[in-house]
Structure formats: structure tokens, C-alpha cells
């Protein structure tokens, strides 16, 4: 079995390279030939959907990147892509994630999408912000719809702070979300592969409202409650994900889905829990390729 492992050619951080190496090592153990390539080396003649590289002999591609256009072209030529472009797209846009999950009653923090505007047009008097604060309260979470490692998540304590954050990012798709006080500086990351949770950890941060380890948080292995496990698995399944990092908040009345990540980094979780997450991902992909009708358990 032979597959492509696609990463971004312009991101050179050590953690991205370590993730690539972990997946390649897990594939080798399982007798899978996994060829690492970067997206900038996999060009297409888009007018004809013709690859400008040797695309023969691959059984699947792992798109560990957010280059959905490349993924769409690979799928159009008949290659099975993990995760699918549809699933990746739903996760890469947090607004689409919320819309998709809300249709199925998945519990999430109360959320309002920021109305669309354009650069150099602005938001006018921002009356919509007053309506949002009336429902969501203060402090208020503002998120860019695309982002990773907590970098594009902001806390506004006042209306003026929220307005300033929005004005500085006019034209950027964003959402406004209630601040879940019961989960201040802590959350749960559950890693779902093939319809089962293979590892989970709780992240805590004493100095930041965001629990991300990348923002200075710490982690510890975590035993999911039956409700948390079922919620994590269902969220991943509803978005069509073969593997995913599901982030849960500790809500006052039970767990809440905060985000679902299609290409979640797992080295920290693997080190924290001892779980072979890369191996679980490759084992699932091999099973899915060998059994085309295979579906992750819901």
C-alpha cells in the first residue's frame, strides 16, 4: 500500500516536521509506503485537472494541511483523501463547524456570527455588537473563523474592547461567543480515530483564558465521562472525519463542543498519555483503503 503524506511547503516549524516524521515512522512499522511531499510540489493544470507531477501508484493521500484546493483536485482524479476535503473545509471554518453541528443539536457555547463586511468598508455603528452582548454577556470571546493553537482567539472585557478587536480585523470572518466561566483556562482534547477515542487529556492554563499548551498551558491524561466520549465521537462523525481532535469545554450543565480540528497535532497528547496516535491514524487509513465501504463508527 502506497500513499502521499502532504504537508505545507512554507511551514518549517519543528513541531510540523516532527508530526510528519511520526506519521512516516508509523506507516513503516505497518508496511505502508508513505511518501512525504509538500503542497508546493504537487501542482495541477487546474483547467484540465491534470497533475504536473507523477501521480501514479498511490492508493490514498493524507492531506495534513489546509490546502483544500489541492485536495479537491486530488479527489477529482479519483484519489481517496484523508480527511476528505468536505470534512476539512467544515473544520477549517469555525462558522461552518457550528452551523453543521447545530443542525444535530450538539451542545456548544452560545455563538453569533459576525456579519459580513469588507476591508475599508468597516462595521458602521456596530449595532449588531450590542445585540450580541445582550445575549452573550461580557466578557465576550471573539474568534477568527480560521486559526490554530489559540492564536486567533480573543477576550473582550468591554464593548469598547470588542469593537476595537472587530475594527482591526474588518473583512475577516469571525464569530462572537459566550465566555464559559466554568471552563476558564481549562478544556479537554479528545482524539477520535475511526469512530473511537484513542486518547484524551485535560489542558490547564493558570495565566491565560485559553487552555492551549501552545499558549503556556499544561496537560494531564483525562478519563472522559460517557457523555464526553459520546459527544466527541458524534461530533467527529457528523463532520465526516476519519480522525479529529475534539475540544470540549466544561459547561455548567455538561460538556460543550468548542472546536473540532481536522488536522490536530498529536505529539503533545501522545507524550502526555502514551497513546500511539500516529499508529491509530495509519491503521484506520489502511483499513478504510482496504475496505472502501468502511465507515467510522457513529
Amino acid at each position: 500500500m502506497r500513499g502521499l503524506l502532504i504537508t505545507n511547503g512554507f511551514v518549517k516549524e519543528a513541531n510540523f516536521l516532527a508530526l510528519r516524521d511520526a506519521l512516516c515512522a508509523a506507516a513503516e512499522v505497518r508496511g505502508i509506503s508513505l511518501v512525504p511531499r509538500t503542497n508546493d510540489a504537487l501542482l495541477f493544470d487546474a483547467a484540465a485537472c491534470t497533475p504536473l507531477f507523477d501521480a501514479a501508484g498511490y492508493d490514498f493521500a493524507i492531506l495534513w494541511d489546509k490546502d483544500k484546493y489541492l485536495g479537491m483536485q486530488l479527489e477529482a482524479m479519483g484519489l481517496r483523501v484523508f480527511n476528505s476535503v468536505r470534512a476539512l473545509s467544515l473544520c477549517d471554518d469555525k462558522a461552518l463547524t457550528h452551523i453543521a453541528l447545530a443542525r444535530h443539536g450538539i451542545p456548544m457555547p452560545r455563538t453569533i456570527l459576525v456579519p459580513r463586511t469588507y476591508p475599508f468598508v468597516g462595521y458602521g455603528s456596530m449595532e449588531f455588537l450590542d445585540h450580541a452582548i445582550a445575549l452573550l454577556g461580557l466578557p465576550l470571546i471573539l474568534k477568527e473563523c480560521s486559526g490554530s493553537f489559540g492564536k486567533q482567539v480573543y477576550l473582550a472585557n468591554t464593548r469598547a474592547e470588542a469593537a476595537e478587536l472587530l475594527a482591526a480585523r474588518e473583512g475577516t470572518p469571525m464569530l462572537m461567543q459566550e465566555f464559559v466561566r466554568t471552563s476558564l483556562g481549562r478544556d479537554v482534547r479528545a482524539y477520535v480515530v475511526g469512530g473511537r477515542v484513542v486518547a484524551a487529556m485535560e489542558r490547564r492554563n493558570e495565566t491565560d483564558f485559553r487552555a492551549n499548551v501552545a499558549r503556556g498551558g499544561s496537560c494531564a491524561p483525562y478519563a472522559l465521562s460517557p457523555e464526553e466520549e459520546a459527544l466527541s465521537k458524534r461530533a467527529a462523525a457528523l463532520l465526516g472525519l476519519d480522525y479529529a481532535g475534539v475540544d470540549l469545554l466544561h459547561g455548567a450543565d455538561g460538556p460543550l463542543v468548542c472546536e473540532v480540528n481536522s488536522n490536530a497535532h498529536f505529539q503533545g497528547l501522545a507524550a502526555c498519555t502514551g497513546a500511539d496516535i500516529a499508529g491509530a491514524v495509519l491503521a484506520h487509513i489502511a483499513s478504510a483503503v482496504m475496505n472502501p465501504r468502511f465507515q467510522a463508527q457513529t
Side-chain angles (χ1 to χ4, degrees):
M1 185 179 296
R2 187 166 182 258
L4 274 172
L5 171 58
I6 304 167
T7 55
N8 192 279
F10 310 104
V11 179
K12 305 295 186 181
E13 281 87 347
N15 59 334
F16 285 85
L17 300 178
L19 187 147
R20 177 202 64 192
D21 293 344
L23 290 168
C24 287
E28 184 176 3
V29 168
R30 287 158 180 80
I32 299 170
S33 175
L34 194 59
V35 181
R37 300 291 299 275
T38 54
N39 65 325
D40 57 320
L42 303 176
L43 303 181
F44 274 79
D45 175 354
C49 197
T50 302
L52 303 179
F53 59 95
D54 184 1
Y58 292 107
D59 301 298
F60 65 90
I62 300 176
L63 182 58
W64 215 284
D65 187 37
K66 297 181 179 181
D67 193 337
K68 62 183 179 182
Y69 304 118
L70 172 57
M72 291 173 70
Q73 292 174 110
L74 292 170
E75 288 183 341
M77 58 176 276
L79 196 62
R80 175 94 181 253
V81 176
F82 297 88
N83 279 301
S84 72
V85 174
R86 176 185 179 276
L88 184 152
S89 299
L90 288 175
C91 292
D92 189 38
D93 185 330
K94 294 177 176 60
L96 294 181
T97 304
H98 279 74
I99 291 169
L101 294 181
R103 292 173 179 167
H104 299 276
I106 296 297
M108 297 177 285
R110 289 179 297 178
T111 301
I112 296 175
L113 307 185
V114 174
R116 178 75 177 267
T117 190
Y118 304 92
F120 310 110
V121 173
Y123 290 108
S125 64
M126 292 195 189
E127 291 182 14
F128 69 87
L129 180 55
D130 297 314
H131 293 297
I133 291 172
L135 176 68
L136 305 176
L138 288 168
L140 178 72
I141 299 294
L142 293 169
K143 291 183 181 180
E144 297 181 28
C145 287
S146 294
S148 303
F149 306 111
K151 292 180 180 178
Q152 293 81 19
V153 182
Y154 316 98
L155 180 66
N157 290 291
T158 66
R159 184 196 189 278
E161 287 182 7
E164 183 179 357
L165 284 164
L166 288 169
R169 293 159 183 81
E170 64 184 28
T172 299
M174 297 186 71
L175 55 83
M176 302 170 285
Q177 200 167 72
E178 69 172 314
F179 177 55
V180 181
R181 298 176 186 274
T182 50
S183 204
L184 171 63
R186 63 192 185 106
D187 69 5
V188 171
R189 161 66 60 85
Y191 217 101
V192 180
V193 180
R196 65 185 184 92
V197 176
V198 298
M201 66 180 176
E202 184 178 54
R203 303 181 292 194
R204 291 178 176 264
N205 195 327
E206 303 297 331
T207 61
D208 197 305
F209 72 96
R210 296 162 292 189
N212 304 72
V213 174
R215 310 249 60 81
S218 61
C219 63
Y222 183 81
L224 296 174
S225 70
E227 184 180 7
E228 289 169 331
E229 181 175 0
L231 182 58
S232 300
K233 292 162 61 176
R234 181 155 171 74
L238 288 171
L239 296 171
L241 292 155
D242 287 277
Y243 47 84
V246 181
D247 294 344
L248 304 176
L249 298 179
H250 300 287
D253 300 315
L256 302 169
V257 172
C258 179
E259 296 181 6
V260 183
N261 304 277
S262 61
N263 290 341
H265 282 228
F266 53 73
Q267 298 100 308
L269 178 57
C272 177
T273 63
D276 180 12
I277 299 171
V281 169
L282 266 297
H284 167 73
I285 288 174
S287 178
V289 172
M290 294 295 291
N291 302 280
R293 295 186 179 182
F294 175 84
Q295 297 291 328
Q297 298 175 8
T298 58

